[in-house]
């Protein structure tokens, strides 16, 4: 098994896009302590943004798999 190599913003923090929480690894999101949010309300907000982005990605994938009507 091979370790996943994440881009980091600090030795113990993952680098993410702030609006979605997406890491440098496609399909992997991070929030809260993993991105350096140390206040509970900020960690919860980053989790909510990541959840919304995950939902949007899954909805897009679902729509892409649906057969188109002729």
């Amino acid at each position: 098994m091979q370790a996943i190599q994440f881009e980091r913003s600090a030795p113990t923090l993952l680098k993410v896009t702030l609006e979605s929480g997406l890491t440098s690894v496609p399909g992997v999101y991070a929030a809260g302590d993993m991105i350096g949010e140390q206040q509970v309300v900020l960690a919860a907000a980053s989790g909510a943004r990541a959840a919304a982005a995950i939902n949007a990605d899954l909805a897009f994938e679902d729509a892409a798999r649906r057969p188109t009507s002729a």
Side-chain angles (χ1 to χ4, degrees):
M1 184 173 229
Q2 198 173 28
I4 298 174
Q5 297 298 315
F6 290 96
E7 192 173 336
R8 297 182 176 274
S9 59
T12 60
L13 302 176
L14 298 179
K15 185 174 182 181
V16 299
T17 57
L18 291 180
E19 58 275 353
S20 68
L22 185 63
T23 67
S24 59
V25 178
V28 178
Y29 296 79
D33 290 351
M34 292 303 299
I35 65 168
E37 299 292 3
Q38 296 181 1
Q39 294 181 357
V40 171
V41 72
L42 295 176
S46 70
R49 286 191 302 272
I54 291 166
N55 185 59
D57 283 353
L58 291 174
F60 178 77
E61 286 179 13
D62 187 44
R65 289 185 188 145
R66 290 185 189 154
T68 56
S69 56

